[in-house]
């Protein structure tokens, strides 16, 4: 048989902008992502996770095959996103790593995973020093996840210039992927022909090209198939796996030369932008695997077999998402999200404000860094090891390697603060800050917040030398006008939306103090990126009034900054809470003990006005309240406070509904209009009843059926997203318990009974995670059911098979596939 010379490669650029609060190092609640906590969690559920276990289904919509798309495509995952996945979605993270390992097996030892410049900055707009850091951090991040050096590196928005590409090559990167219009001209390497211009993206995208640089290094460029990539991203090609495979196959010419048809899009196309896009991808991959004429590959594997026969030069300062080059990230070029009548003139002053800040910090970093490090910029490049692993051992290793001399504790803190300032100076260039329509958008506010953290750390480090930095920054930001008159300009956004986020150790102490009224903390507690050591804690009560007095020691796990505080919290029930905090030293012990004794006496007498006066006298101010809590904790506590109130409201509305249910039934049956008040009561009562039934343990099947019947009879609109989410989570928990049990028939019965109940629900469920766990149990059933006796195996097989069918799995096809995989060694 003649060797195959037609190859297909599908690349997915998986990326989300960093969303972490710069002071807490965590993603806080984003209401627009509901019912998920935030957009990372939502898109992970819709895309990153589903591509690790993509479904193929039969005509009954039953699952016949579960595949890991990462093993069959080329992909890169943004470093900051992959760190989030590792921490918050470990099952998805394991699927990504498994897909990458399998890709090496599939493609002659070449990994399908590409690295990415670390912070998704627009490389042509970065200075040389930042370009080098972005490349080195991206390589280190890749190695930390996959354990090997990367062959390829993805450039943010494929934004490229010759200097950036040369730096990639100098760091051992063998290839990158660009859009076809980024090619300027080509010529044959064999014949030394004249250069041939490639206007209007007419470069032949089926071959790789060599690009050579003045320093003597070179690398390969793959220009992706533009029309097919656009069809995937924007034209509905993912509506059918058949159509996707067919579209890729028609990309070949009649030439007998080796050809690579390859596409590149945002990875989120496969599941997030296009629902079930990961299924279309899985099916297309299956069709291509079975094809006798074409073969799946990745870039590294293809390059090793078919080195470039042509070289190219690129059009500098171009990208895949701006027809004006890279103007989308520095000017009002006309590329935007399509909001009619808006402009993006704010982009230029935002870019200038950040560039000016970066440039002002350079000399200050070198001046301070010379006191702490052998070389501040070398230290910054090496700091990625700490970013990836915040353990004390890694911090010690970093400082040991980079320090100018043996640093004392204060110098260690300053050294880490300097590195954190520079890390946030990279984060503030995240490209999404310029991509969308307005400076008041959440992506732009996020990078402004990173700049605020830079300014805060600069003030801490450089004090008088940094005095004018914030004023200069805000002066430029005044010129960045929002399209929303209420938002104003960049300076106003900084003051109103970002300044309130800033915090120090005192605010952490206040958060701990207030939340301690509602939470039981251990002697040492982790609060986001801080550790809190409790030195003392006492609480005094009289009626509804409570006074909490304590002392804590707060330490930043990021910079090592630490300080002790005392606090007083006065709570009169519900949201009525005030707190005072101030620094504490051992010399304050006697005065604090005296204050505590005096305050306790007045509480016992229920003389709270006097308690307030002595708190004012001791602390000098009472600055904190429930609004001082960090967002997620604030919501949790407000929910606790509201529970009794909501319970009363729920009870009242349920009573109204029950008292008038027969009337509502009559109105529904006769088609007569129903009073809005009764409709409201019915909707609230029925949905609340369904939530309670689903959340009870075990699920209250009788109540569930009763409320579903009422909903149908009275035409009540169900809160489908919320109810579906609760049901999905219940089924997932049951399956996790079953998996952990190693073959418990009792837990199998519980999961089976739950699945029998859930199939009665009149709306679509996303049982994706439960299905995955069923599949994992099935694949391990020959060796993992240690709690199962041999005599119980027939019962297990019968009930486990029924459970799979209730989870919409074609158990016969799945088990046959698994048996075939075992016999073939797949």
């Amino acid at each position: 048989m003649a060797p195959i010379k037609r190859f297909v490669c599908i690349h997915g650029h998986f990326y989300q902008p960093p969303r972490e609060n710069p002071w807490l190092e965590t993603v806080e609640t984003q209401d627009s992502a509901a019912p998920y906590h935030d957009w990372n969690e939502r898109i992970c559920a819709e895309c990153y996770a589903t591509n690790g276990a993509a479904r193929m289904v039969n005509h009954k919509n039953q699952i016949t095959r579960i595949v890991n798309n990462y093993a069959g495509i080329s992909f890169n995952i943004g470093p900051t996103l992959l760190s989030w996945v590792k921490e918050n979605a470990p099952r998805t993270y394991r699927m990504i790593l498994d897909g990458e390992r399998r890709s090496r097996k599939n493609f002659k030892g070449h990994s399908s995973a590409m690295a990415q410049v670390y912070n998704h900055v627009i490389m042509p707009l970065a200075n040389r020093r930042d370009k080098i850091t972005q490349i080195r951090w991206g390589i280190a991040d890749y190695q930390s996840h996959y354990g090997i050096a990367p062959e390829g590196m993805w450039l943010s928005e494929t934004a490229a210039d010759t200097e950036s590409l040369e730096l990639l090559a100098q760091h051992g990167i063998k290839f990158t992927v660009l859009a076809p219009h980024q090619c300027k001209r080509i010529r044959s390497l064999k014949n030394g022909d004249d250069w041939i211009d490639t206007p209007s993206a007419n470069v032949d995208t089926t071959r790789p090209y060599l690009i050579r640089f003045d320093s003597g290094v070179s690398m390969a460029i793959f220009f992706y198939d533009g029309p097919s990539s656009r069809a995937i991203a924007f034209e509905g090609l993912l509506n059918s796996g058949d159509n996707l495979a067919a579209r890729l196959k028609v990309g070949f010419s009649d030439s007998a030369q080796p050809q690579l048809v390859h596409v590149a899009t945002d990875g989120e196309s496969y599941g997030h932008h296009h629902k079930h896009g990961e299924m279309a991808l899985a099916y297309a991959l299956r069709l291509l695997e079975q094809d006798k004429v074409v073969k799946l590959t990745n870039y590294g594997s293809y390059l090793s077999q078919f080195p470039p026969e042509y070289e190219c030069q690129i059009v500098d300062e171009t990208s895949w998402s701006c027809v004006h080059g890279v103007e989308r990230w520095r000017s009002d070029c006309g590329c935007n999200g399509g909001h009619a009548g808006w402009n993006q003139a704010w982009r230029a002053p935002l870019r200038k404000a950040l560039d000016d800040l970066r440039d002002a910090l350079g000399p200050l970093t070198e001046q301070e860094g010379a006191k702490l490090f052998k070389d501040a910029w070398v230290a910054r490049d090496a700091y990625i090891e700490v970013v990836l692993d915040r353990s004390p051992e890694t911090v010690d290793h970093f400082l040991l390697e980079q320090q100018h001399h043996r640093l004392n504790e204060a110098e260690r803190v300053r050294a880490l603060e300097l590195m954190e300032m520079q890390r946030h100076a990279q984060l503030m260039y995240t490209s999404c800050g310029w991509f969308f329509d307005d400076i008041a958008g959440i992506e732009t506010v996020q990078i402004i917040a990173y700049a605020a953290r830079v300014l805060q750390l600069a003030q801490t480090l450089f004090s008088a030398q940094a005095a004018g930095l914030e004023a200069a920054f805000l002066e430029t930001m005044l010129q960045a006008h929002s399209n929303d008159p209420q938002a104003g300009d960049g300076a106003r956004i900084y003051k109103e939306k970002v300044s309130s986020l800033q915090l120090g150790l005192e605010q952490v102490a206040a958060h701990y103090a207030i939340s301690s009224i509602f939470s039981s903390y251990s002697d040492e507690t982790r609060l986001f990126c801080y550790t809190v050591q409790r030195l003392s804690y006492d609480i005094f009560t009289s009626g509804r009034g409570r006074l909490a007095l304590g002392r804590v020691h707060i330490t930043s796990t990021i910079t090592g900054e630490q300080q002790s505080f005392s606090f007083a919290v006065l709570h009169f029930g519900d949201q009525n809470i005030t707190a005072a905090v101030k620094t504490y030293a051992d010399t304050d012990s006697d005065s604090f003990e005296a204050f505590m004794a005096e305050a306790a006496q007045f509480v016992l007498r229920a003389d709270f006005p006097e308690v307030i006066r002595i708190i004012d006298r001791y602390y000098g101010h009472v600055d904190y309240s429930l609004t001082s809590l960090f967002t997620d904790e604030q919501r949790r506590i407000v929910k606790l406070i509201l529970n009794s109130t909501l319970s009363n409201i729920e009870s009242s509305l349920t009573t109204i509904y029950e008292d008038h249910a027969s009337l509502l039934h009559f109105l529904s049956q006769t088609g007569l209009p129903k009073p809005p008040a009764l409709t409201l009561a019915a909707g609230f009562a029925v949905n609340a009843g369904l939530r309670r039934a689903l959340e009870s343990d075990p699920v209250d099947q009788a109540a569930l059926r009763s409320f579903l019947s009422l909903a149908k009879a009275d035409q009540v609109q169900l809160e489908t997203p919320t109810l579906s989410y609760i049901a999905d989570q219940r089924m997932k928990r049951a399956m996790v318990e079953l998996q952990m049990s190693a073959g418990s028939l009792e837990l199998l019965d519980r999961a089976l009974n739950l699945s029998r109940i859930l199939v009665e629900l009149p709306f679509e469920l996303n049982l994706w995670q439960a299905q995955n766990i069923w599949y994992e149990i099935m694949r391990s059933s020959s060796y993992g059911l240690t709690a199962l006796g041999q005599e119980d195996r027939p019962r297990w097989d019968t009930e486990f098979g029924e459970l799979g069918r209730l989870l919409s799995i074609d158990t016969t096809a799945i088990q046959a596939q698994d048996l075939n995989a075992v016999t073939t060694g797949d």
Side-chain angles (χ1 to χ4, degrees):
M1 177 183 286
I4 292 176
K5 292 187 177 182
R6 293 186 170 190
F7 294 83
V8 171
C9 177
I10 301 171
H11 183 84
H13 164 53
F14 296 90
Y15 173 73
Q16 287 297 300
R19 296 184 165 97
E20 284 78 7
N21 178 312
W23 291 269
L24 300 178
E25 297 292 335
T26 192
V27 181
E28 296 184 290
T29 298
Q30 295 176 305
D31 293 330
S32 58
Y36 296 93
H37 177 270
D38 54 74
W39 278 103
N40 279 7
E41 185 178 289
R42 178 169 177 169
I43 298 172
C44 183
E46 295 173 348
C47 177
Y48 311 135
T50 56
N51 275 286
R55 274 66 168 140
M56 295 174 64
V57 297
N58 60 22
H59 66 281
K60 297 179 181 179
N61 204 33
Q62 294 175 318
I63 298 168
T64 60
R65 191 178 186 89
I66 297 178
V67 298
N68 188 330
N69 284 343
Y70 297 110
I73 65 171
S74 169
F75 67 93
N76 74 283
I77 301 179
T80 53
L81 171 62
L82 192 54
S83 293
W84 180 93
V85 171
K86 182 180 180 180
E87 179 71 22
N88 297 278
R91 185 181 293 272
T92 300
Y93 180 72
R94 289 195 298 271
M95 290 191 291
I96 293 168
L97 297 191
D98 179 60
E100 187 278 329
R101 283 192 295 268
R102 289 168 59 188
S103 77
R104 282 186 254 168
K105 180 181 177 182
N106 293 341
F107 302 126
K108 303 181 183 298
H110 295 274
S111 174
S112 285
M114 290 175 61
Q116 180 197 290
V117 292
Y118 190 82
N119 290 111
H120 212 266
V121 306
I122 300 302
M123 290 289 275
L125 300 182
N127 63 27
R128 184 179 178 86
R129 180 187 293 141
D130 286 356
K131 289 177 179 179
I132 291 171
T133 296
Q134 286 295 309
I135 294 168
R136 291 179 178 173
W137 283 14
I139 291 172
D141 176 82
Y142 184 97
Q143 291 173 322
S144 75
H145 295 294
Y146 304 119
I148 57 173
E151 291 186 274
M153 178 168 277
W154 184 266
L155 295 172
S156 318
E157 306 291 342
T158 75
D161 63 327
T162 300
E163 182 183 59
S164 297
L165 295 178
E166 185 171 13
L167 288 170
L168 289 182
Q170 289 173 349
H171 283 82
I173 299 300
K174 296 179 180 178
F175 68 86
T176 192
V177 180
L178 299 181
H181 67 262
Q182 293 179 267
C183 183
K184 181 179 181 180
R185 55 185 184 174
I186 64 170
R187 70 179 175 185
S188 172
L189 288 168
K190 292 181 179 179
N191 304 323
D193 296 338
D194 292 337
W195 287 100
I196 302 170
D197 291 339
T198 55
S200 304
N202 67 355
V203 63
D204 181 355
T205 61
T206 64
R207 57 163 55 108
Y209 295 85
L210 188 74
I211 183 168
R212 297 190 279 197
F213 306 101
D214 293 342
S215 62
V217 297
S218 63
M219 66 183 297
I221 305 288
F222 290 91
F223 297 102
Y224 64 77
D225 179 339
S228 294
S229 298
R230 284 193 295 275
I232 291 171
F234 305 114
E235 298 169 10
L237 189 53
L238 292 179
N239 293 336
S240 164
D242 284 299
N243 291 348
L244 174 58
R247 175 64 178 263
L248 294 172
K249 288 168 65 176
V250 300
F252 296 103
S253 69
D254 294 332
S255 170
Q257 295 299 310
Q259 297 176 69
L260 174 68
V261 170
H262 60 110
V263 290
T265 67
D266 284 339
E268 289 74 21
S269 297
Y270 304 107
H272 173 57
H273 298 318
H274 301 277
K275 189 175 183 180
H276 303 315
E278 82 287 350
M279 295 176 66
L281 174 60
Y283 191 67
L285 290 173
R286 185 67 171 166
L287 292 176
L288 293 168
E289 285 173 354
Q290 296 171 338
D291 197 287
K292 304 300 183 184
V293 179
V294 303
K295 186 176 180 64
L296 283 172
T297 190
N298 63 28
Y299 291 115
S301 181
Y302 187 86
L303 190 62
S304 69
Q305 298 173 75
F306 308 106
E309 296 181 355
Y310 284 76
E311 67 175 316
C312 72
Q313 292 179 345
I314 67 160
V315 183
D316 274 323
E317 297 194 350
T318 51
S319 67
W320 75 349
S321 52
C322 178
V323 297
H324 312 95
V326 294
E327 295 307 305
R328 187 167 193 157
W329 298 276
R330 65 179 174 189
S331 73
D332 185 15
C333 68
C335 293
N336 53 50
H339 200 294
W342 282 16
N343 69 73
Q344 286 72 51
W346 52 269
R347 288 173 178 162
L350 174 62
R351 173 70 61 177
K352 184 178 187 304
L354 297 181
D355 284 350
D356 289 349
L357 176 58
R358 175 200 62 197
D359 294 343
L361 291 174
L364 296 174
T365 296
E366 292 174 351
Q367 179 181 334
E368 181 66 21
K371 305 173 187 176
L372 303 166
F373 297 110
K374 300 169 188 174
D375 185 307
W377 303 118
V378 172
R380 185 180 78 170
D381 289 343
Y383 188 62
I384 186 62
E385 70 170 305
V386 176
V387 175
L388 295 171
D389 176 12
R390 297 282 183 179
S391 67
E393 295 77 15
T394 301
V395 174
D396 288 344
H397 177 265
F398 165 74
L399 291 175
L400 183 64
E401 291 293 314
Q402 304 300 328
Q403 64 190 5
H404 177 273
H405 59 279
R406 185 179 180 85
L407 303 180
N408 60 35
E409 197 61 38
E411 288 174 321
R412 282 173 62 97
V413 171
R414 292 183 69 79
L416 293 173
E417 286 176 336
L418 189 66
M419 291 296 97
E420 279 299 301
M421 182 191 74
Q422 282 296 326
R423 178 172 77 92
H424 283 85
Q426 297 297 302
L427 281 162
M428 71 186 186
Y429 281 110
T430 303
S431 68
C432 305
W434 288 267
F435 192 85
F436 298 102
D437 285 357
D438 196 67
I439 190 172
I442 58 174
E443 295 84 3
T444 313
V445 172
Q446 182 74 28
I447 68 167
I448 295 173
Y450 289 132
R453 179 61 172 150
V454 170
L455 287 163
Q456 183 190 45
L457 287 166
Q459 183 61 43
T460 300
L461 286 162
F462 310 129
S463 125
Q465 294 171 291
L469 289 179
E470 185 177 50
F473 178 80
L474 293 177
E475 183 68 25
T476 305
M477 292 290 280
L478 281 170
Q479 303 167 37
H481 298 288
S482 170
N483 292 284
D484 179 0
Q486 292 186 336
D489 53 50
R492 183 174 170 183
I493 290 168
Y494 178 93
K495 293 172 183 176
E496 294 183 358
K497 291 189 176 183
V498 173
S499 293
S500 60
L501 298 175
Q502 297 189 43
L503 57 87
L505 298 184
E506 180 178 311
Q507 287 73 35
V508 178
H511 174 96
Y512 175 90
I514 295 170
S515 60
S516 72
I517 294 291
F518 305 93
S519 306
S520 178
Y521 287 124
S522 59
D523 288 342
E524 187 165 306
T525 301
R526 178 74 178 260
L527 283 179
F528 303 101
C529 57
Y530 301 90
T531 57
V532 182
Q533 181 183 359
R534 185 171 62 198
L535 305 177
S536 69
Y537 188 83
D538 295 279
I539 193 160
F540 307 95
T541 305
S542 180
R544 291 197 71 192
R546 288 189 293 173
L547 175 66
L549 301 174
R551 295 168 297 166
V552 291
H553 189 75
I554 312 288
T555 305
S556 166
T557 61
I558 304 295
T559 65
E561 179 190 10
Q562 54 187 304
Q563 179 68 57
S564 294
F565 298 89
S566 72
F567 61 81
V569 186
L570 193 57
H571 183 218
F572 292 112
D574 293 339
Q575 80 283 5
N576 303 303
I577 191 167
T578 57
V581 176
K582 72 175 182 179
T583 57
Y584 175 86
D586 290 341
T587 53
D588 299 322
S589 176
D590 290 343
S591 62
F592 181 75
E593 293 292 338
F595 157 71
M596 185 169 69
E598 185 180 10
Q601 288 299 315
F602 284 113
V603 171
L604 293 175
R605 298 175 194 168
D607 188 352
F608 287 103
E610 190 59 35
V611 173
I612 293 171
R613 280 192 287 273
I614 64 171
I615 291 175
D616 283 339
R617 188 165 65 244
Y618 185 77
Y619 285 95
H621 49 80
V622 181
D623 293 333
Y624 300 101
S625 66
L626 201 60
T627 60
S628 308
L629 290 170
F630 308 147
T631 301
D632 283 9
E633 186 72 358
Q634 184 184 91
R635 293 190 176 205
R636 184 187 71 83
I637 290 173
V638 167
K639 184 178 180 181
L640 287 174
I641 293 170
L642 286 174
N643 275 344
S644 60
T645 302
L646 290 175
S647 179
N648 292 336
I649 294 172
E650 181 180 313
S651 178
S652 298
L653 287 173
T654 301
T655 299
I656 292 170
Y657 171 64
E658 290 173 348
D659 289 346
H660 302 283
S662 62
L663 174 59
L664 194 60
H665 300 337
F666 170 76
L667 295 174
S668 297
Q669 291 168 1
T670 59
L672 292 172
K674 291 173 284 188
L678 269 184
T679 302
L680 173 66
F684 192 94
V686 169
N687 282 292
L690 287 170
R691 286 197 304 272
R692 286 197 306 272
L694 285 170
E695 289 172 344
S696 62
D697 193 13
V699 170
D700 189 336
Q701 187 173 4
L704 189 70
R705 285 175 173 165
S706 174
F707 282 111
L708 287 174
S709 178
L710 289 171
K712 184 177 181 180
D714 295 333
Q715 301 169 18
V716 171
Q717 184 173 353
L718 298 180
E719 296 172 359
T720 300
T722 300
L723 295 173
S724 176
Y725 184 78
I726 295 170
D728 300 342
Q729 293 301 306
R730 284 304 307 267
M731 195 69 237
K732 174 193 171 184
R733 287 198 297 272
M735 293 302 294
V736 168
E737 291 171 357
L738 178 60
Q739 186 178 38
M740 297 297 291
S741 76
S744 166
L745 286 172
E746 178 185 351
L747 291 177
L748 175 59
D749 286 341
R750 189 180 302 176
L752 182 57
N753 288 332
L754 177 59
S755 65
R756 288 168 178 162
I757 294 169
L758 295 186
V759 295
E760 298 179 19
L761 294 175
F763 46 77
E764 183 181 355
L765 296 177
N766 178 15
L767 298 174
W768 183 85
Q769 296 182 89
Q771 293 161 344
N772 285 349
I773 298 170
W774 184 94
Y775 184 66
E776 290 173 10
I777 296 172
M778 186 273 294
R779 301 228 31 193
S780 65
S781 61
S782 60
Y783 60 87
L785 303 180
T786 56
L788 191 68
Q790 190 62 37
E791 68 280 3
D792 295 324
R793 186 61 193 238
R795 178 184 164 193
W796 170 276
D797 290 342
T798 299
E799 294 188 359
F800 188 71
E802 182 185 354
L803 175 60
R805 289 187 289 277
L806 289 168
L807 293 174
S808 299
I809 296 172
D810 183 339
T811 56
T812 302
I814 284 281
Q815 288 167 336
Q817 166 203 322
D818 185 59
L819 179 62
N820 181 63
V822 172
T823 57
T824 59
D826 184 17

